Amino acid sequence: MIKFKKFYVTTGIDYVNAPPHVGHAYEKICADIIARWHRLKGENVFFLTGTDEHGEKVEEAAKISGKEPEEFVEEITSTFKETWKILNISYDDFIRTTEKRHEEIVAKLVKKNFDNGDVYKGEYEGWFCVPCETFWTELQLKNGKCPTCGRKVQKLKEEAYFFKLSKYQEKLLNFYEKNPEFLSPSFRANEIINRVKAGLKDICITRSSKWGVPFPIDNRFTIYVWVDALVNYISALDWPEEKFKKFWPADLHLIGKEINWFHTVIWPAILFSAGIEPPKKVFCHGWLTAEKQKISKSLGNVIDPVYLAKKYSTDSLRYFLVKEIPFGEDGDFSENSLIARINGELVADLGNLVYRVLSLAEKFDGEIEGKVELEKKLDLRKIEESMEKLELHNALNGIWNFIRATNKYVNEKEPWKLKGKELGEVIYNLLEALRVIAILVSPSLPSSAEKINQQLGVKAGLLKDCKFKKFEGKIKKGEYLFRKVE
Ligand SMILES: [Zn+2]
């Protein structure tokens, strides 16, 4: 039996207190591109996304809209699923934290932490911010308000259960040292390491809210929504059964930088306590602003990704977000920059190339063969390296270098002046270049890649097919891939 390399990639699961905006879409698109790339490499990929449906924040949003939490989360989750379908997000599983399969495993994991002596009863007193789901100490407050969002906090004192996070300080520091890839991108590592070095406090892992997974030790409580949410990465694999054994540890948790602490400190500690290996890598992408402003409901600049996909095409939106923002850094969404990239890079570089090559090929009735000339313009290794380093924007730059080199080849060869064997050779090189380009753009532009393949009359290839060979397609020229935006 051939054993395929596995690749397990996850996204953050989204809080369902409001429908998805372009920031949510950005993360899913990037994860999708990474998953599709690993499929191109012939790996056995498992790509997970989902929704985080418990907690006070969701309960409150449901109340405001006059609905029961069950009904409310059902509606919002379906808008998330609908959006990912429109954006061509090829997830293998979608986990909802209100599903039975998830809740059972959350309870089982917390029970294991308890059995291993890492959960104890105590008393919690602190200032609680409902929108942030976070307890603050007196010292942490800013002018008596939540230091994160600036909203009012409430004083809460209650009996609660705690997880012995403090016990794992050394183990975490050792782990970071031995696995420098774990904290990614590397410029975010020091912040976490320094905070862990400064000392870890035990964390309260229960709440008295009803909208959550019942705490298995004491049914007056539910499990803190953050612990509940993190477990999705193994509940979707049916821990500790077969699927878990096949895909765990995760190769990549892709998340927003605001939840780095939960993923790189609390999550591995909970896993250590349960005797489970931590994930291999947690990569934080940056934040997206919209026309240089923070995206938020209160600012009213929440951009609907479905609106953009319908107006400009899904592939255009996907391309723009990845090309515009160096992966890992913050970036800005602006409709003008989107239009500039569509007209400059998608229409002028890629779309025109496909159209002019197919026009030439369709009219030509000689043999499509000859010397391989264009292949050397492709630096596949560099593109692969960029993808391995998760420099998605650089990988696109590498692919575009080849697209531009192919356009240049057309201009230099002036095929409209050629005939017969000479023309057949130029067309051969161009068609093979297009076939390879379709493979390389398929993770970021899946439907355009499909259209190119249809026009060339070839099947979708894998990364190993990015070598020039005999052209075996059957030409059927189609429409322009992209339309110029005026
Ligand atoms: Zn807050």
Side-chain angles (χ1 to χ4, degrees):
M1 199 176 79
I2 308 164
K3 211 168 168 235
F4 291 100
K5 196 176 167 207
K6 68 91 183 170
F7 186 79
Y8 179 31
V9 54
T10 68
T11 69
I13 52 172
D14 297 304
Y15 231 158
V16 292
N17 56 335
H21 59 61
V22 73
H24 298 105
Y26 174 58
E27 177 178 294
K28 274 54 186 184
I29 289 169
C30 292
D32 185 61
I33 291 171
I34 295 164
R36 287 177 188 267
W37 176 261
H38 282 267
R39 289 190 198 116
L40 273 190
K41 289 169 70 178
E43 293 174 11
N44 191 355
V45 173
F46 192 72
F47 171 21
L48 176 71
T49 190
T51 41
D52 184 3
E53 305 187 358
H54 287 133
E56 278 98 342
K57 206 149 97 179
V58 172
E59 209 178 356
E60 204 176 77
K63 208 186 283 169
I64 290 166
S65 67
K67 286 172 186 145
E68 288 301 315
E70 289 84 352
E71 186 194 352
F72 180 77
V73 299
E74 189 68 46
E75 274 179 32
I76 305 265
T77 294
S78 58
T79 66
F80 272 90
K81 284 188 170 173
E82 199 58 34
T83 304
W84 302 158
K85 196 171 161 191
I86 291 164
L87 298 185
N88 229 331
I89 307 300
S90 61
Y91 58 77
D92 296 293
D93 195 358
F94 189 102
I95 186 121
R96 302 178 55 184
T97 57
T98 50
E99 285 176 87
K100 192 163 164 262
R101 61 168 175 154
H102 172 74
E103 294 189 344
E104 281 175 0
I105 286 172
V106 174
K108 195 153 88 180
L109 185 74
V110 171
K111 177 77 169 43
K112 186 136 189 176
N113 295 144
F114 179 81
D115 291 344
N116 291 346
D118 286 337
V119 174
Y120 63 92
K121 196 199 270 185
E123 196 173 56
Y124 200 87
E125 188 183 42
W127 295 94
F128 188 65
C129 174
V130 176
C132 297
E133 298 274 359
T134 310
F135 269 104
W136 303 103
T137 62
E138 193 82 43
L139 282 174
Q140 289 172 311
L141 298 181
K142 237 189 217 158
N143 306 321
K145 293 191 168 142
C146 170
T148 305
C149 71
R151 276 179 267 218
K152 263 199 235 159
V153 287
Q154 322 169 3
K155 184 143 201 175
L156 288 180
K157 183 176 176 173
E158 57 180 24
E159 203 183 308
Y161 287 80
F162 289 79
F163 172 74
K164 283 186 193 165
L165 185 62
S166 58
K167 182 176 153 185
Y168 291 96
Q169 181 179 4
E170 279 311 306
K171 192 156 182 171
L172 283 166
L173 290 170
N174 279 335
F175 174 70
Y176 302 149
E177 205 181 314
K178 284 191 192 122
N179 303 277
E181 286 277 290
F182 177 73
L183 298 169
S184 289
S186 56
F187 65 83
R188 295 205 187 279
N190 277 340
E191 190 199 330
I192 295 291
I193 293 170
N194 291 337
R195 270 180 79 184
V196 173
K197 277 185 180 158
L200 291 172
K201 282 206 187 104
D202 293 346
I203 55 161
C204 177
I205 58 158
T206 58
R207 293 290 185 266
S208 41
S209 146
K210 286 279 156 279
W211 185 239
V213 179
F215 181 57
I217 317 304
D218 185 338
N219 62 18
R220 292 173 301 160
F221 299 101
T222 53
I223 294 166
Y224 176 37
V225 67
W226 256 109
V227 173
D228 170 354
L230 287 164
V231 180
N232 89 86
Y233 303 129
I234 62 168
S235 68
L237 296 182
D238 196 22
W239 171 70
E241 302 304 325
E242 201 182 321
K243 203 178 218 173
F244 173 81
K245 287 178 191 140
K246 189 167 165 194
F247 287 106
W248 193 259
D251 296 86
L252 174 64
H253 285 329
L254 181 62
I255 55 161
K257 62 179 178 179
E258 72 284 3
I259 56 178
N260 200 14
W261 180 258
F262 290 98
H263 282 79
T264 55
V265 179
I266 297 174
W267 180 226
I270 289 172
L271 292 171
F272 285 144
S273 161
I276 302 171
E277 211 180 319
K280 289 186 192 162
K281 184 191 288 229
V282 175
F283 186 97
C284 298
H285 61 78
W287 282 352
L288 218 58
T289 50
E291 316 284 349
K292 308 275 182 206
Q293 289 227 307
K294 186 179 178 222
I295 300 176
S296 84
K297 231 164 57 169
S298 53
L299 286 172
N301 63 348
V302 172
I303 299 166
D304 177 7
V306 173
Y307 160 82
L308 293 170
K310 290 196 168 150
K311 188 168 174 189
Y312 299 107
S313 93
T314 291
D315 277 4
S316 301
L317 177 63
R318 291 171 63 107
Y319 176 81
F320 169 76
L321 287 173
V322 178
K323 189 73 184 286
E324 181 81 359
I325 305 159
F327 199 43
E329 291 172 27
D330 293 341
D332 186 52
F333 174 83
S334 119
E335 212 160 332
N336 281 336
S337 324
L338 167 64
I339 293 169
R341 288 205 188 269
I342 292 174
N343 289 343
E345 295 160 35
L346 293 177
V347 175
D349 294 336
L350 179 59
N352 277 352
L353 175 67
V354 173
Y355 196 81
R356 70 205 286 211
V357 172
L358 269 291
S359 305
L360 272 173
E362 203 179 38
K363 278 184 267 164
F364 181 69
D365 62 0
E367 290 299 319
I368 295 175
E369 59 184 21
K371 208 163 76 214
V372 174
E373 288 181 325
L374 248 176
E375 194 182 25
K376 59 178 183 289
K377 298 283 179 195
L378 172 66
D379 192 345
L380 188 58
R381 246 223 352 243
K382 204 164 159 204
I383 296 167
E384 286 187 89
E385 273 170 17
S386 298
M387 284 306 293
E388 293 315 303
K389 286 192 271 182
L390 295 179
E391 292 172 356
L392 308 187
H393 56 293
N394 278 339
L396 276 180
N397 282 330
I399 298 166
W400 247 252
N401 284 342
F402 184 55
I403 293 172
R404 288 181 180 141
T406 307
N407 270 315
K408 198 165 163 237
Y409 178 84
V410 181
N411 297 341
E412 283 171 2
K413 290 284 175 182
E414 301 183 305
W416 48 90
K417 292 183 181 165
L418 303 176
K419 291 196 290 245
K421 201 167 169 326
E422 270 184 316
L423 180 55
E425 183 168 283
V426 170
I427 290 176
Y428 159 73
N429 275 279
L430 291 170
L431 290 173
E432 277 297 284
L434 285 190
R435 184 182 60 76
V436 169
I437 288 166
I439 296 171
L440 292 172
V441 299
S442 66
S444 16
L445 308 171
S447 56
S448 306
E450 219 177 283
K451 284 180 197 160
I452 299 172
N453 287 335
Q454 274 166 14
Q455 298 196 21
L456 293 176
V458 297
K459 276 195 212 132
L462 294 174
L463 208 57
K464 64 175 169 57
D465 303 312
C466 286
K467 282 188 217 96
F468 280 31
K469 51 180 191 184
K470 185 172 167 5
F471 180 77
E472 285 171 327
K474 205 164 187 293
I475 302 299
K476 193 170 180 275
K477 198 178 104 189
E479 295 276 286
Y480 275 109
L481 288 184
F482 302 96
R483 290 197 179 280
K484 195 162 185 222
V485 184
E486 297 302 338

